[in-house]
């Protein structure tokens, strides 16, 4: 397996088509979906030696990862372009939970100090 060939194929998967989807036409409205695409890859090659310094074996490997999440859509109508972001409800819920825990811990520490002073 040629590592450079794998890397080149991996780069081909992270194209503009992954970021901007195929436009959807509905009457005089055009919708262009947009995604946030992250990619990365790597590879390596090595040779092993035994205690005497003799070559024992060699190996190589590689890997690639690709992540795409919706970012929103562009709406095009009569020459006017509008951006509509995608809403990630999971991120909103997790953020709310973190804020709730911080508030609860703050109230708890204030209450403890208040009880000690009495």
């Amino acid at each position: 397996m040629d590592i450079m060939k794998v890397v080149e194929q991996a780069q081909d998967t992270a194209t503009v088509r992954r970021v901007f989807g195929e436009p959807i036409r509905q009457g005089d409205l055009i919708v262009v979906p947009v995604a946030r695409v992250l990619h990365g890859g790597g590879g390596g090659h090595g040779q092993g030696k035994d205690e005497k310094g003799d070559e024992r074996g060699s190996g190589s490997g590689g890997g690639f990862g690709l992540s795409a999440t919706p970012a929103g859509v562009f709406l095009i109508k009569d020459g006017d372009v509008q951006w509509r972001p995608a809403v990630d409800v999971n991120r909103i819920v997790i953020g709310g939970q973190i804020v709730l825990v911080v508030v609860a811990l703050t109230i708890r520490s204030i209450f403890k100090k208040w009880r000690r002073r009495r």
Side-chain angles (χ1 to χ4, degrees), residues 13-21 32-38 68-69 71-72:
T13 62
T15 62
V16 174
R17 290 229 182 266
R18 299 263 186 221
V19 177
F20 295 101
V32 181
V34 180
R36 204 173 279 119
V37 177
L38 302 171
T69 55

Side-chain angles (χ1 to χ4, degrees), residues 96-110:
Q97 289 173 343
I98 291 171
V99 169
L100 184 65
V101 167
V102 169
V103 168
L105 292 174
T106 303
I107 290 173
R108 178 178 160 238
S109 67
I110 291 171

Side-chain angles (χ1 to χ4, degrees), residues 36-77:
R36 204 173 279 119
V37 177
L38 302 171
H39 66 92
H45 175 73
Q47 295 179 344
K49 295 184 178 184
D50 60 13
E51 292 113 19
K52 298 178 187 176
D54 297 331
E55 192 172 308
R56 217 171 153 182
S58 65
S60 65
F64 180 75
L66 179 71
S67 171
T69 55
V73 295
F74 282 111
L75 300 175
I76 305 168
K77 184 174 183 178

Side-chain angles (χ1 to χ4, degrees), residues 3 6 8-9 12 16 19-20 23 34-35 53 59 61 63 69-70 77 79 87 90-91 93 95-96 98 105 109 116:
I3 299 295
V6 171
E8 288 172 8
Q9 289 175 348
D12 289 342
V16 174
V19 177
F20 295 101
V34 180
T69 55
K77 184 174 183 178
V87 177
N90 292 332
R91 186 177 287 183
V93 169
I98 291 171
L105 292 174
S109 67
R116 286 184 194 155

